[in-house]
Amino acid sequence: MQQAIVEFELDEVGDWRAILACGHRQHVRHNPPLVNRPWVQTAAGRQRFLGYLLDCKLCDEEQMPHKE
Ligand SMILES: [Zn+2]
């Protein structure tokens, strides 16, 4: 499910996490060449990505019927 970024925070080890509109958190690491997000390193870059939509897998899981 697509959720907008409402805030950013650093986790215990200094990796950036986006806080999404649904309340879930998702890592937005800058880890080249696999993940290239240089914007997350700067305050201006993070500011620019507020409201950006990320696919929240936790929301998708909550919507799936529970497998017993
Ligand atoms: Zn979510």
Side-chain angles (χ1 to χ4, degrees):
M1 180 183 285
Q2 299 272 299
Q3 297 286 358
I5 297 174
V6 294
E7 213 180 322
F8 291 92
E9 65 173 14
L10 281 171
D11 72 3
E12 325 52 64
V13 296
D15 284 328
W16 282 102
R17 269 193 305 225
I19 303 175
L20 303 176
C22 55
H24 291 131
R25 287 160 169 76
Q26 190 170 128
H27 273 109
V28 282
R29 293 189 184 85
H30 178 50
N31 185 21
L34 292 175
V35 188
N36 211 17
R37 293 196 183 99
W39 54 266
V40 84
Q41 313 279 56
T42 66
R46 291 191 299 277
Q47 187 69 35
R48 201 152 45 88
F49 272 78
L50 289 176
Y52 183 80
L53 296 175
L54 287 180
D55 200 23
C56 185
K57 291 183 177 61
L58 289 170
C59 276
D60 290 340
E61 281 170 22
E62 282 178 7
Q63 296 219 328
M64 267 185 235
H66 289 286
K67 288 174 219 144
E68 303 287 351

